[in-house]
């Protein structure tokens, strides 16, 4: 059974080196996460690899159709907006991805996950990933 995901990811890296380190960390995570099908062969056939942050976000934030992801880059902040279908378990993959990125991201970087009629918000505070409820209150994961 699949769920409809709407994602907003706004992130700012602490430095250019942080972005490179984040890419390496996500590559390692994907290699070690043998229980998850990232469909890397299909993405590679479309010219999408794991060598840069935009391609990695396409893998994490889209489905096989890959038509509903928008990337904007203001120079400091990167924004990813996506609508896609995935299993309900994909939310845990997204949360783990954001936790991995957290140590490389500036305060205020945020991931909003809307799944069908549910919401999960995550924000970075001092390199730590916190969950945000609908009232805007934050708590540690």
């Amino acid at each position: 059974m699949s769920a409809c995901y709407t994602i907003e990811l706004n992130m700012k890296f602490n430095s250019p080196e942080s972005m490179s380190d984040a890419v390496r960390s996500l590559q390692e995570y994907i290699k070690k996460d043998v229980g998850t099908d990232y469909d890397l062969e299909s993405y590679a056939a479309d010219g999408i690899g794991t060598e840069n942050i935009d391609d990695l976000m396409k893998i994490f934030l889209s489905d096989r159709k890959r038509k509903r992801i928008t990337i904007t880059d203001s120079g400091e902040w990167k924004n990813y907006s996506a609508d896609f279908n995935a299993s309900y378990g994909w939310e845990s993959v997204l949360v783990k991805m954001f936790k991995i990125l957290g140590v490389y991201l500036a305060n205020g970087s945020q991931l909003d996950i809307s799944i069908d009629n549910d919401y999960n918000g995550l924000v970075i505070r001092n390199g730590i990933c916190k969950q945000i409820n609908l009232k805007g209150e934050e708590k540690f994961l």
Side-chain angles (χ1 to χ4, degrees), residues 74-138:
S74 70
E76 287 189 0
W77 287 88
K78 291 179 123 353
N79 174 268
Y80 301 87
S81 299
D83 293 301
F84 61 95
N85 293 320
S87 69
Y88 283 99
W90 196 253
E91 180 180 16
S92 64
V93 173
L94 295 174
V95 170
K96 181 65 176 173
M97 172 207 69
F98 196 65
K99 283 180 163 183
I100 291 167
L101 288 173
V103 297
Y104 308 108
L105 298 177
N107 284 341
S109 295
Q110 186 165 330
L111 172 63
D112 294 314
I113 305 169
S114 297
I115 307 167
D116 294 336
N117 295 318
D118 197 12
Y119 170 80
N120 193 0
L122 305 170
V123 66
I124 300 301
R125 300 282 185 237
N126 300 316
I128 298 170
C129 183
K130 291 186 172 185
Q131 189 170 33
I132 309 167
N133 65 23
L134 291 174
K135 295 177 185 176
E137 300 165 334
E138 298 176 11

